[in-house]
Amino acid sequence: MIERISGSLLDARSLYVRDEELFASAGMRGLNLVMGFTGFADAGHVVRQISAELLDSLDSELIAEFDADQLIDYRSRRPQVSFVEDHLQDYQAPMLALHRLVDGLGNPFLLLSGFEPDLQWERFARAVVGIVQELDVNLVTWIHSIPMPVPHTRPVGVTVHGNRPDLIEGISVWKPTVEVPAAVGHILELRLTGAGRNVAGYVIHVPHYLAEAEYPTAAVAGLEYLGAATSLMLPTDRLREAGREVGRQIAEQIEASEEVQQVVSRLETRYDEKAEGTVRRSLLADENDQIPNADALGAAVEAYLARKEPGE
């Protein structure tokens, strides 16, 4: 009898190259890992915004990079290149990489981000699980976003899943039983759970009428949930400001259309009816549902400010 193949015929380690010195360093052990992949849904471009903000705002080191030629279908997802008058430049090669970052309080963590693989999901999953086990990752969190019939005038909703009940209970606003198209993040969550690793996935709910646009408010919510789960101070200031500007633009467009006003009003009514009587746990609460006291919050802020350069 032939045993069912599960990505085991090819060496998973050959899918990526890595910095062996960094991998061997003691400071790489026991960190939290955040994951986000573009290409699946990504309503409101939440994953792209979060990945870009983390890499642009925080100190980072490239730890490993996956071989795009083995994982992506270029003809179905063509990279961009610039044609400038009479020559080509700025080819945007697809990238899927693991970075080590440092948050606002000086805490290191890992970020696996980039394109969602088109090919070799099981082999890719084995590679990621292998990295998680080798580095003894404390908690794996991953994020994606989907369009939902919700209004932009209400708090951004989230559905949480995984094997950490303390990160799920009281947070999810939508707990269905439904079949959905799988993403590589789902496969990773299943394989990580099977390997006995801690994992939690966050699905950010984006108003369906904003799904194709860049919606910074949803990205801010995603960063807040990831930060709360991993006890990291993640940057949100620039996205908050962008969200306020987008909010003003949305308000102007709604004001100009009575039909859109009616749609939003119906969504608000439906949202409020479903939310009535629902108590959601604060993002500031710990695993015991305890809110940190003023001293604890003050100490965190002071530590953060102490790391800021004068004039920042």
Side-chain angles (χ1 to χ4, degrees), residues 83-282:
F83 182 85
V84 182
E85 296 183 353
D86 59 0
H87 65 280
L88 300 174
Q89 66 182 43
D90 301 328
Y91 170 62
Q92 300 175 30
M95 187 174 185
L96 176 55
L98 178 69
H99 288 84
R100 179 183 182 273
L101 285 76
V102 179
D103 79 345
L105 293 177
N107 301 310
F109 67 101
L110 302 172
L111 172 68
L112 177 60
S113 63
F115 64 86
E116 180 191 44
D118 296 315
L119 310 168
Q120 303 192 52
W121 279 13
E122 290 290 356
R123 187 179 174 210
F124 174 69
R126 289 181 61 238
V128 174
V129 172
I131 290 172
V132 168
Q133 292 176 322
E134 181 178 353
L135 298 181
D136 193 23
V137 168
N138 175 55
L139 170 66
V140 179
T141 56
W142 71 284
I143 193 159
H144 63 291
S145 55
I146 59 174
M148 291 283 285
V150 294
H152 70 283
T153 53
R154 298 296 185 266
V156 175
V158 64
T159 295
V160 195
H161 45 82
N163 59 5
R164 284 285 300 272
D166 57 308
L167 298 179
I168 298 174
E169 293 304 319
I171 298 294
S172 290
V173 297
W174 185 58
K175 301 178 72 172
T177 298
V178 61
E179 290 189 1
V180 297
V184 76
H186 297 131
I187 304 302
L188 288 173
E189 182 175 317
L190 289 169
R191 301 298 174 254
L192 287 165
T193 298
R197 311 305 305 196
N198 292 322
V199 58
Y202 292 82
V203 188
I204 302 299
H205 304 172
V206 175
H208 62 88
Y209 50 89
L210 299 174
E212 299 300 322
E214 195 169 273
Y215 191 45
T217 301
V220 169
L223 284 167
E224 290 179 337
Y225 283 111
L226 292 172
T230 56
S231 299
L232 295 169
M233 180 173 281
L234 303 179
T236 60
D237 288 351
R238 294 193 300 187
L239 286 172
R240 287 184 192 279
E241 181 58 35
R244 285 190 282 269
E245 177 57 30
V246 170
R248 286 191 288 269
Q249 296 174 9
I250 294 172
E252 291 175 357
Q253 294 180 28
I254 292 177
E255 184 66 26
S257 172
E258 184 175 343
E259 181 179 354
V260 174
Q261 292 174 29
Q262 293 175 354
V263 170
V264 173
S265 178
R266 286 195 293 269
L267 290 173
E268 289 173 337
T269 300
R270 179 180 177 186
Y271 180 98
D272 293 341
E273 289 174 348
K274 290 184 175 295
E276 186 176 358
T278 300
V279 178
R280 295 178 60 192
R281 199 176 83 206
S282 169

